[in-house]
Amino acid sequence: MDSTEALLRAINAVLPLDVALKFLEETPAGFHARYSAEGREYLYVIWNGPERAPLVRRTSYAVRDALDEVLMTRASAHLVGIHDFAAFGRPMTVNGPTIRNMMQAGVTRVGDRIEIVLQANAFLRHQVRRTIGFLIAVGRGNLETDHVLALLDGSASGRSAWRAPAHGLTLTKVLYPSNETIATAADRAGRLSGREVENGR
């Protein structure tokens, strides 16, 4: 058993029963769990049935009104690409940038379960939950599918919609570059830092 496998077993031995590590990987110097990430993917689950579903109430948001997933899909397609998402969330810092690259926005229904997947290079504060709130409004017929275009270009004032509850939301994936790319970036940053020291900065 190598040291990585031993560490994996040791960590899982002390974690709560509802949490488990699947694998561990050694990363190069310069890796940062947050700042090295190139993207993140979230899953939001809506239970859209006439009756409540007690077994999934903690991991999905129940909406009894019939939702049109076809309209929600059409609206979500407008989100894909590089846009100013200021109407959907707040920057992480005061006066920070609000432009993000939405790489994926999809809506899938299986029976009474609707899954919404959003993947972007980064998200604004509350952006995912406001986006879900907007898509639910579209699914109910309260907003047109192309209203998102007015929100993205700033011609519609105010926020997109209310924030959907957090309990339907799960972070499912964090996208990282290869270890070689991380190591190269760290090495380059180190060389630049060394030059600043040499120049007396």
Side-chain angles (χ1 to χ4, degrees), residues 44 46 116 118 127-137 164:
Y44 197 92
I46 300 170
I116 302 174
L118 300 176
Q127 180 183 343
V128 174
R129 291 166 57 196
R130 283 192 181 278
T131 301
I132 301 302
F134 168 78
L135 292 176
I136 289 174

Side-chain angles (χ1 to χ4, degrees), residues 18 24 68 89 121 165 168 187 190-191 193:
D18 55 352
L24 289 177
D68 189 331
N121 66 322
D187 181 61
R191 291 198 304 271
S193 177

Side-chain angles (χ1 to χ4, degrees), residues 96-111:
T98 53
I99 295 176
R100 298 291 188 269
N101 180 14
M102 185 73 75
M103 299 177 284
Q104 180 182 351
V107 180
T108 305
R109 176 190 282 273
V110 178

Side-chain angles (χ1 to χ4, degrees), residues 155-176:
S155 58
S157 60
R159 297 287 183 184
S160 61
W162 57 279
R163 296 198 304 266
H167 60 268
L169 182 64
T170 304
L171 173 65
T172 53
K173 188 182 298 182
V174 179
L175 308 176
Y176 291 107

Side-chain angles (χ1 to χ4, degrees), residues 63-85:
V63 178
R64 294 191 179 184
D65 302 336
L67 298 178
D68 189 331
E69 70 275 9
V70 174
L71 295 180
M72 295 168 71
T73 298
R74 291 175 184 169
S76 68
H78 293 309
L79 296 167
V80 177
I82 300 174
H83 303 289
D84 187 340
F85 287 95

Side-chain angles (χ1 to χ4, degrees), residues 6-26:
L7 180 59
L8 175 66
R9 291 191 177 187
I11 293 175
N12 278 330
V14 297
L15 283 175
L17 295 180
D18 55 352
V19 179
L21 292 184
K22 298 176 67 175
F23 69 91
L24 289 177
E25 180 179 352
E26 187 173 353

